[in-house]
Amino acid sequence: MAPSEGRIESRHATPVDIPDENMSPGQYIATRIPTLKPPMAKAPNPFKCLALLNKQQWLFFLVAFFAWSWDAFDFFTVSLTVEHLAETFEKSKADITWGITLVLMLRSVGAVIFGIAADRYGRKWPFVVNNVLFIILELATGFCSTYKQFLGVRALFGIAMGGLYGNAAATALEDCPDAARGILSGMLQEGYAFGYLLATVFARAFVNTVGHGWRPLFWFGAGPPVLIIIFRLCLPETQAYQERQRVRESDTNVGKTFIAEGKVALRRHWLILIYMVLLMAGFNFMSHGSQDIYPTMLSNQFNFSPDTVTVTQVVANLGAMTGGTLVGYSSQIFGRRFTIIFISIVGGALLYPYTFVKTHAVIAPAFFEQFCVQGAWGVIPIHLMELSPGGFRTFVVGTSYQLGNLVSSASSTIEATLGEGLPLPPKEDVKRYDYGKVICIFMGCVYIYVIILTYIGPEYRGRAFDVKADKDLAEATYHREIINTDSIARRTGSSDEEKGITHDEKERF
């Protein structure tokens, strides 16, 4: 992110605003309102958008969607069994939420490790390793016999889970047609809500119904990643990664080229990277703040039965999936920033009924609140992809997302602890707390933060993902004198002008 805005053309049409490095911060701030105006870009019928994908692009999207869905399933198995885990390990609910907090804290470690591996060696094998670890650690969670074992396994799970998001986004989106980016971004992100829905349904099916208490839910969670691994093994690397790798292999030392790209990306984009982390902190507070202890609120504060909690959660996640898809698609028309800000304002207005309606009628605000929360999230995968340096999309998308998770990692523990400071009259010797008030105030602050960050940030809607548009790679290779302009053009089928490389840039290199 840099002050002011110049113009750059995307690969197929839509111009996006790229900050001009020569303008002051004050001049940049002055551009925030004009650039927030919805572009009202022409977007095809959503079904026609989806029809633009070829068979391979659909397979890439589906394997990424299923993996991201099961990542969410694995995460929410703890959220949905907090009370059962507390009883087994003889701890408070706040103690058990540290299992959630540790996962969120250590995800950034996995994002760094697997993100660098995926950008250097390809999307495929880091993806497979991620899912192998899911299998091992879900089984291990189900066999934990002490609280310390539980925390240790979940900490390792956080590292494994951290590596998947960036890889899934790159696999699903970097080859997709420009016009389909918005709707696919929303559909991909709602793998998270779909995973939450599956976790809710299977928690009701397995917990305290087939013996061994909560453990069968975690044992079951180890099964589907086997199918996801087989699915991914049948697919090649993405076209975008293969194209980049061919350019890197023009030199015998691919590793040095990769390092050179990293140095250029860090020097040119350090400010946007910080911005992405701060933005993702707000978004992760938004999702975890609205979801993690919501089932506990329904059961403990509102005295809902397990069946009613399940129905409410299922309806809420249907709202989330609907919102993510529709709002993600809308961002292709109205712009990424405007869409996020608008849906966040609506979500803030719905907080009161979401947390204070104590009858079964809360199902309606639950649907629409999660429509807004995950609607805003539906814009995020493609927004992050467009903001990220080309050679490090997996690393930057995954790490910014997971560092945001790190910042927000204590959200469930904070809410649970604050809630226990607001006791309600007990019912049948069960202590009750006013979690609803805590969620409402907490989420109000989060929405304000997200709106402000989105307002001041940039937007690169329509940015090309191919090597021909990557000036970072061009600069890295010119500095190291690996390939000259003509050889780049021959390999990629582009001229200097098409790559956006000017005569002055060539002279400087």
Side-chain angles (χ1 to χ4, degrees), residues 253-387:
N253 196 325
V254 178
K256 286 185 178 179
T257 306
F258 181 73
I259 292 171
E261 284 183 75
K263 290 178 179 178
V264 172
L266 185 60
R267 175 173 57 79
R268 296 183 64 178
H269 306 294
W270 64 271
L271 190 55
I272 191 68
L273 301 182
I274 294 173
Y275 169 78
M276 290 168 69
V277 172
L278 295 175
L279 183 65
M280 286 300 93
F283 268 85
N284 279 290
F285 272 122
M286 185 193 297
S287 58
H288 294 296
S290 67
Q291 294 171 343
D292 288 357
I293 68 166
Y294 197 70
T296 305
M297 183 198 78
L298 295 175
S299 60
N300 178 270
Q301 181 180 346
F302 295 171
N303 299 311
F304 282 14
S305 68
D307 286 337
T308 306
V309 172
T310 300
V311 170
T312 304
Q313 291 296 90
V314 168
V315 171
N317 282 284
L318 290 174
M321 288 186 284
T322 305
T325 303
L326 294 180
V327 177
Y329 172 71
S330 298
S331 74
Q332 200 73 14
I333 302 170
F334 302 109
R336 316 298 186 207
R337 291 168 59 231
F338 178 86
T339 303
I340 292 171
I341 290 172
F342 176 81
I343 204 67
S344 295
I345 292 171
V346 177
L350 290 170
L351 283 175
Y352 184 83
Y354 182 64
T355 54
F356 281 86
V357 174
K358 299 179 181 179
T359 67
H360 292 182
V362 76
I363 291 176
F367 177 94
F368 288 108
E369 181 63 36
Q370 288 306 313
F371 180 101
C372 295
V373 170
Q374 291 303 315
W377 265 104
V379 184
I380 286 300
I382 193 60
H383 190 40
L384 295 185
M385 288 279 287
E386 289 170 338
L387 292 177

Side-chain angles (χ1 to χ4, degrees), residues 224-241:
V226 176
L227 301 177
I228 294 170
I229 289 170
I230 294 171
F231 189 176
R232 186 66 184 94
L233 288 173
C234 295
L235 299 175
E237 292 291 351
T238 64
Q239 293 295 318
Y241 176 79

Side-chain angles (χ1 to χ4, degrees), residues 20-351:
D20 181 350
E21 298 175 359
N22 297 321
M23 297 194 77
S24 69
Q27 291 172 315
Y28 171 77
I29 293 297
T31 66
R32 294 304 79 209
I33 292 179
T35 57
L36 192 61
K37 181 181 177 181
M40 305 305 293
K42 232 176 155 181
N45 180 293
F47 296 104
K48 290 183 179 179
C49 284
L50 298 178
L52 294 173
L53 276 70
N54 60 34
K55 180 180 178 181
Q56 186 178 87
Q57 290 164 346
W58 267 118
L59 292 174
F60 279 139
F61 174 81
L62 290 173
V63 75
F65 176 85
F66 290 134
W68 177 229
S69 297
W70 214 252
D71 182 299
F73 175 97
D74 292 338
F75 176 80
F76 284 111
T77 49
V78 173
S79 299
L80 293 167
T81 55
V82 167
E83 293 186 72
H84 305 289
L85 290 163
E87 183 179 347
T88 297
F89 297 127
E90 298 180 347
K91 297 289 182 179
S92 70
K93 297 183 188 71
D95 289 332
I96 296 302
T97 58
W98 275 104
I100 300 171
T101 300
L102 281 173
V103 170
L104 297 176
M105 289 175 67
L106 290 169
R107 275 181 165 186
S108 55
V109 177
V112 171
I113 295 170
F114 286 99
I116 292 175
D119 285 324
R120 170 64 180 85
Y121 300 106
R123 318 306 190 201
K124 186 173 186 176
W125 291 105
F127 186 99
V128 169
V129 171
N130 267 162
N131 282 276
V132 170
L133 292 175
F134 288 170
I135 295 169
I136 296 169
L137 293 170
E138 274 292 81
L139 288 173
T141 303
F143 285 106
C144 288
S145 58
T146 68
Y147 178 63
K148 288 184 178 179
Q149 289 176 357
F150 168 74
L151 292 182
V153 171
R154 297 312 290 180
L156 292 174
F157 209 106
I159 296 174
M161 293 179 78
L164 187 72
Y165 184 78
N167 200 331
T171 300
L173 299 174
E174 66 183 356
D175 280 359
C176 81
D178 290 358
R181 286 182 182 181
I183 192 168
L184 287 180
S185 174
M187 291 170 63
L188 174 66
Q189 184 60 39
E190 292 331 298
Y192 179 91
F194 183 58
Y196 193 180
L197 187 153
L198 291 177
T200 301
V201 171
F202 284 110
R204 187 71 189 106
F206 288 119
V207 175
N208 291 334
T209 59
V210 295
H212 305 288
W214 49 269
R215 299 178 190 274
L217 178 64
F218 292 85
W219 296 334
F220 170 76
V226 176
L227 301 177
I228 294 170
I229 289 170
I230 294 171
F231 189 176
R232 186 66 184 94
L233 288 173
C234 295
L235 299 175
E237 292 291 351
T238 64
Q239 293 295 318
Y241 176 79
Q242 290 184 53
E243 181 184 28
R244 184 172 299 278
Q245 191 67 0
R246 282 194 293 270
V247 175
R248 288 172 177 167
E249 288 172 354
S250 61
D251 180 42
T252 55
N253 196 325
V254 178
K256 286 185 178 179
T257 306
F258 181 73
I259 292 171
E261 284 183 75
K263 290 178 179 178
V264 172
L266 185 60
R267 175 173 57 79
R268 296 183 64 178
H269 306 294
W270 64 271
L271 190 55
I272 191 68
L273 301 182
I274 294 173
Y275 169 78
M276 290 168 69
V277 172
L278 295 175
L279 183 65
M280 286 300 93
F283 268 85
N284 279 290
F285 272 122
M286 185 193 297
S287 58
H288 294 296
S290 67
Q291 294 171 343
D292 288 357
I293 68 166
Y294 197 70
T296 305
M297 183 198 78
L298 295 175
S299 60
N300 178 270
Q301 181 180 346
F302 295 171
N303 299 311
F304 282 14
S305 68
D307 286 337
T308 306
V309 172
T310 300
V311 170
T312 304
Q313 291 296 90
V314 168
V315 171
N317 282 284
L318 290 174
M321 288 186 284
T322 305
T325 303
L326 294 180
V327 177
Y329 172 71
S330 298
S331 74
Q332 200 73 14
I333 302 170
F334 302 109
R336 316 298 186 207
R337 291 168 59 231
F338 178 86
T339 303
I340 292 171
I341 290 172
F342 176 81
I343 204 67
S344 295
I345 292 171
V346 177
L350 290 170
L351 283 175

